[in-house]
Amino acid sequence: MTAPLVIFDLDGTLIDTAPDLVASLNHTIAAADLEPVTYADLTHLVGQGARVMIRRAFELREQPLSDEAAEPLLQRFLAHYKAEMPGASRPYPGLIEAMERLEEAGMRLAVCTNKLEELAIPLIGKLGLSDRFVTVTGGDTFPVRKPDAGHLLGTIEKAGARPEATVMIGDSINDILAARNAGIPSIAVTFGYSDVPVEDLQPDHVMTHFSELTGELVRRLLSRETQAPH
């Protein structure tokens, strides 16, 4: 029997990365003489990838941004973010203990993020978390990304797991929709980067702190899924 797999989103779920993402964004748009933005200006866009953040910053400042101009700005962002990593980014409170509980319960862990692999994998490594995960997939690992079910299903396959024995944990609509599209139960965390209350996204469970994440909760969600009519 395949061990249950718990898949985590990265930004806003595992790691509070917002301060470093906003810092790198402001470094980037300074090259175009744009005024700095704040996390409040971006909220949910923090988890949507650098390209989206850069474009949104230009929209906020009512400045045009062509595709040709966007590419060097993206490279400027990536260079700054990688050079400063991990910066102020830290795991959310209770995460390490929660992962230890899941591992002790015989569960395996993975990451499925829309962040580029070249940013996600080094960040996880620099925070000393690499050994926790059987696989890490990014927004460029497959031809599709969350909320497409293929991103989650591809992650499950790489982990050697089965969809019916998998739970997804995330903070945004992309995570909850991806889980729904893949037919797997979802847990939404309230402390991430969603621009709407996560309860409105209708996840299978809402969690306010990692102290609530237990093997029992995961097994209960999986049991509920197998009993649900299809």
Side-chain angles (χ1 to χ4, degrees):
M1 182 174 170
T2 306
L5 179 69
V6 179
I7 300 180
F8 295 85
D9 174 50
L10 184 58
D11 298 90
T13 301
L14 278 178
I15 311 297
D16 183 7
T17 53
D20 296 306
L21 291 170
V22 173
S24 290
L25 177 62
N26 282 329
H27 168 80
T28 300
I29 65 176
D33 295 324
L34 262 63
E35 288 291 316
V37 297
T38 67
Y39 169 67
D41 291 325
L42 299 170
T43 54
H44 68 299
L45 293 176
V46 164
Q48 301 285 331
R51 283 186 179 85
V52 175
M53 285 201 303
I54 293 168
R55 192 161 296 282
R56 179 59 176 152
F58 274 76
E59 290 172 2
L60 282 171
R61 298 296 178 245
E62 299 182 339
Q63 295 295 319
L65 177 63
S66 67
D67 290 342
E68 293 77 15
E71 189 57 33
L73 288 173
L74 175 62
Q75 297 309 315
R76 179 179 170 91
F77 177 95
L78 295 176
H80 184 270
Y81 188 71
K82 282 193 267 192
E84 299 297 319
M85 193 182 289
S89 295
R90 295 291 181 270
Y92 281 101
L95 171 68
I96 305 302
E97 294 83 355
M99 291 195 295
E100 288 173 349
R101 282 195 299 274
L102 296 181
E103 289 167 347
E104 288 169 3
M107 298 179 181
R108 300 160 78 226
L109 314 177
V111 174
C112 178
T113 174
N114 279 349
K115 202 183 196 80
L116 295 173
E117 272 191 23
E118 66 180 292
L119 302 181
I121 293 172
L123 176 60
I124 291 169
K126 288 177 183 290
L127 291 172
L129 301 176
S130 297
D131 291 345
R132 299 280 185 182
F133 304 110
V134 293
T135 192
V136 175
T137 65
D140 54 343
T141 304
F142 306 108
V144 296
R145 52 189 271 176
K146 296 179 298 183
D148 194 295
H151 193 177
L152 261 188
L153 294 173
T155 304
I156 294 167
E157 184 176 357
K158 281 176 70 75
R162 295 178 297 122
E164 58 269 27
T166 300
V167 169
M168 174 74 201
I169 303 178
D171 69 311
S172 74
I173 189 167
N174 278 345
D175 304 310
I176 307 310
L177 274 182
R180 191 172 302 146
N181 292 338
I184 68 173
S186 60
I187 298 174
V189 299
T190 60
F191 44 77
Y193 306 147
S194 178
D195 61 331
V196 299
V198 293
E199 293 84 356
D200 294 353
L201 305 178
Q202 298 184 308
D204 294 286
H205 186 82
V206 174
M207 192 167 68
T208 61
H209 191 280
F210 273 119
S211 60
E212 302 166 39
L213 181 56
T214 63
E216 181 184 6
L217 170 61
V218 172
R219 292 187 190 280
R220 189 164 73 243
L221 290 173
L222 291 175
S223 173
R224 187 190 309 171
E225 183 68 16
T226 57
Q227 292 170 12
H230 292 287

